[in-house]
Amino acid sequence: MIEQDAGRPSPDQNPLFGICHLAPAVGRLRLHAGLMGAGKSALAIQVGFHRRQAGRPGLIFTSADRAGSGTLSSRLGLSVSAREFTEDTDFVATIGEALPPRGFVIVDEAQFLTPAQVDELALLVDEMAVDVDCFGLLTAFDSHMFPGSQRLVELADDILDLVEVLCWCGQAGRVNARIEDGAVIRSGSQVAVGDLGGGAGATYRVLCRRHWREGEPGPGVL
């Protein structure tokens, strides 16, 4: 006879443990990291599609997507419905109530997660054995890590780099530089929603370490 571990809640004390025996033995927390233009959103959509094709239930989250609230979209023209998360979203409550065992969670724009929310996602991986795949940027325009991305690096089971994005000079990109009036900006709010090459919101361009340091946005920047 296996006795209940005195240090762990019983199923009637924690609903997450109540279904854990039905779920796979192990879930994974994965961070898919890349610069702007690396294909993070397209891959997030693809991963969700294949898992649902395999019969797995899942939830998809995003924040401040270019296509508007409630949509996860990519520059390739792909899009799916998604739940909008904010810094006030309680992932334990939302996912624990809505997702059955053997499920998966996809979080795009994961750099906007708070460290506490990353801890919540890790808890769900460990106690519900769901797979959580987060897609996002590591660093902001100032070359420093987003707090949510830093926490993901600290806790993720796997950190996967996406395809390389090049600077205008041909070297590997390192920084999502923020551009205003043709100049590389080094101060301001870490979060400013925008896209590559202009459009609504802030303007960004991927630069190598040298050209970010020297403030050279490259040809064609106005």
Side-chain angles (χ1 to χ4, degrees), residues 100-169:
R102 303 183 179 90
F104 69 89
V105 175
I106 288 174
V107 182
D108 195 35
E109 305 294 354
Q111 70 272 8
F112 296 143
L113 292 167
T114 67
Q117 287 173 327
V118 175
D119 288 347
E120 292 172 2
L121 293 170
L123 173 68
L124 290 162
V125 169
D126 295 338
E127 304 303 349
M128 285 185 66
V130 297
D131 287 316
V132 176
D133 287 82
C134 295
F135 299 79
L137 306 172
L138 284 180
T139 60
F141 75 100
D142 57 3
S143 78
H144 295 292
M145 293 185 75
F146 288 95
S149 301
Q150 179 175 335
R151 191 62 178 148
L152 279 166
V153 169
E154 293 166 348
L155 294 184
D157 297 299
D158 305 293
I159 301 174
L160 308 172
D161 292 327
L162 300 185
V163 298
E164 185 175 69
V165 181
L166 301 180
C167 175
W168 60 268
C169 69

Side-chain angles (χ1 to χ4, degrees), residues 68-93:
S69 179
T71 301
L72 166 56
S73 67
S74 81
R75 295 184 184 87
L76 299 179
L78 304 173
S79 65
V80 294
S81 297
R83 298 189 179 207
E84 190 80 8
F85 76 84
T86 69
E87 62 181 11
D88 297 320
T89 300
D90 183 333
F91 283 100
V92 170

